[in-house]
Amino acid sequence: QSVVTQPPSASGTFGQRVTISCSGSRSNIGRNFVNWYQQLPGTAPKLLIHGNNQRPAGVPDRFSGSKSGTSASLAISGLRSEDEAEYYCAVWDDSLSGRVVFGGGTTVSVL
Amino acid sequence: QVQLVQSGAEMKKPGASVKVSCKSSGYTFNSYTMHWVRQVPGQTLEWMGWLNGGTGNTKYSQKYQDRVTITQDTSASTAYMELSRLRSDDTAVYYCGRGYSAFDPKIDLWGQGTLVTVSS
């Protein structure tokens, strides 16, 4: 079971907005930056959001991140078929001598 | 071209060790950290550790610290991850990834992954 928790799935129709949550604690999300990754089947993860809400160059502004307290969220607006993927949050956790923790992943489907 | 290229798939027997390489190009290798992350098929990502390219310092997940060793050859711009005493549940895809900070998993460049299969 992951230290940071994500819903296993999320879905929406074409053009809709979908939000994925990432729930943690004071030792991780509560005091450190949250990053989000997109992983298409059979490929390496791709950085979508870093520093809670910063998009790397080339990531569409349809993707946005936010954080409040010990939770973070990734929003995908204007949902497209190419957004069907697995999404992971990742954050440094200060417990157990420090480590990176990933959420369990959320499968996004476009209906 | 900025990229990380990993070594090819490995098949190992239980109890053996595996060493995966990750060759960087297109950027200054020792200006970044290198993370190693693994993914058992169908499961989430799991962090194993990182190496500071500038200092050579390492940080390992407590789960793996007695079995994993991350090293580098700066002259070859290559990082290595060696996992010992392999078990069948170590069958996974192993990724290297370029990071910026020791305590922030911002990984903006990933290798293609190396499948390690552990089977008798």
Side-chain angles (χ1 to χ4, degrees), chain B residues 29-76:
Chain B
F29 177 77
N30 57 10
S31 293
Y32 298 84
T33 61
M34 189 69 78
H35 293 264
W36 286 88
V37 174
R38 82 177 200 177
Q39 187 171 37
V40 172
Q43 296 189 19
T44 187
L45 302 162
E46 187 176 20
W47 182 75
M48 301 180 73
W50 55 246
L51 177 143
N52 182 314
T55 65
N57 290 341
T58 54
K59 175 71 173 175
Y60 300 128
S61 166
Q62 276 197 353
K63 179 177 179 180
Y64 298 103
Q65 65 182 14
D66 61 340
R67 294 200 296 140
V68 70
T69 305
I70 299 174
T71 57
Q72 65 180 359
D73 178 351
T74 54
S75 66

Side-chain angles (χ1 to χ4, degrees), chain A residues 2 32-33 35 37 39 43-47 50 88 90-92 96-100 102-105, chain B residues 35 37 39 43-47 50 59-62 95 102-108 110-113:
Chain A
S2 299
N32 297 306
F33 286 128
N35 302 272
Y37 294 91
Q39 187 177 34
T43 68
K46 171 190 172 184
L47 181 66
H50 64 93
Y88 298 94
V91 62
W92 182 261
L96 296 180
S97 301
R99 56 183 175 158
V100 172
F102 288 90
Chain B
H35 293 264
V37 174
Q39 187 171 37
Q43 296 189 19
T44 187
L45 302 162
E46 187 176 20
W47 182 75
W50 55 246
K59 175 71 173 175
Y60 300 128
S61 166
Q62 276 197 353
Y95 294 101
F103 308 110
D104 175 13
K106 172 189 172 184
I107 302 172
D108 71 338
W110 294 73
Q112 82 277 19

